[in-house]
């Protein structure tokens, strides 16, 4: 599967899909995740899309890395979350040596991975 099929969708996704959902998710993360993470924890946001959640997470003082397979999504992400480091990779074959305190995969990202063996990866 190639993720360039999401490139044409990136503008719409950035403008409309992420309008209010990141703030609703922020409330949840603030209540259940952030309190258990160490200060300055490193967080990897898988399938980060246009970086809206990565930006919110970074504003709480965490070191955030975003990973996405779409270059167009990442182009928006770099604008939306300037303090986050973004990596262009397919999460099914993630090749990153760094270790993280936490990983997130938010919105409906995981259901875009269709094959059961790819979900397990």
């Amino acid at each position: 599967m190639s993720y360039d099929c999401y490139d044409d969708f990136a503008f719409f996704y950035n403008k409309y899909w992420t309008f209010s959902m990141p703030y609703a998710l922020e409330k949840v993360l603030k209540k259940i995740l952030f309190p258990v993470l160490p200060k300055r924890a490193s967080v990897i946001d898988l399938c980060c899309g246009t970086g809206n959640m990565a930006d919110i997470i970074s504003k709480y003082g965490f070191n955030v890395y975003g990973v996405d397979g779409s270059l167009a999504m990442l182009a928006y992400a770099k604008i939306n979350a300037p303090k986050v480091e973004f990596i262009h990779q397919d999460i099914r074959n993630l090749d990153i040596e760094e270790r993280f305190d936490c990983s997130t995969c938010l919105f409906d990202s995981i259901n875009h991975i269709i094959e059961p063996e790819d979900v397990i990866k």
Side-chain angles (χ1 to χ4, degrees), residues 42-115:
S42 60
V43 177
I44 187 166
D45 186 20
L46 302 171
C47 301
C48 67
T50 57
N52 302 84
M53 287 309 304
D55 184 53
I56 288 171
I57 296 167
S58 74
K59 288 179 178 176
Y60 283 85
F62 302 113
N63 297 311
V64 182
Y65 296 78
V67 179
D68 204 273
S70 166
L71 286 171
M73 292 278 200
L74 290 175
Y76 285 106
K78 290 174 184 177
I79 295 166
N80 294 334
K83 294 182 179 179
V84 174
E85 182 176 333
F86 291 100
I87 303 160
H88 178 239
Q89 280 194 38
D90 181 334
I91 67 161
R92 296 170 301 167
N93 301 302
L94 200 56
D95 185 22
I96 299 174
E97 291 187 23
E98 186 161 345
R99 298 290 173 232
F100 300 92
D101 298 304
C102 174
S103 65
T104 60
C105 187
L106 304 164
F107 288 96
D108 63 344
S109 303
I110 203 74
N111 67 2
H112 290 263
I113 300 175
I114 307 221
E115 299 300 325

Side-chain angles (χ1 to χ4, degrees), residues 5-47:
C5 60
Y6 292 94
D7 290 352
D8 292 335
F9 180 64
F11 170 79
F12 179 85
Y13 182 90
N14 187 60
K15 186 167 184 171
Y16 299 107
W17 188 247
T18 59
F19 181 69
S20 62
M21 184 57 77
Y23 306 104
L25 284 172
E26 177 183 12
K27 290 178 184 178
V28 173
L29 296 178
K30 191 175 173 182
K31 192 171 201 164
I32 65 171
L33 178 62
F34 297 163
V36 299
L37 290 178
K39 285 188 181 267
R40 306 293 301 154
S42 60
V43 177
I44 187 166
D45 186 20
L46 302 171
C47 301

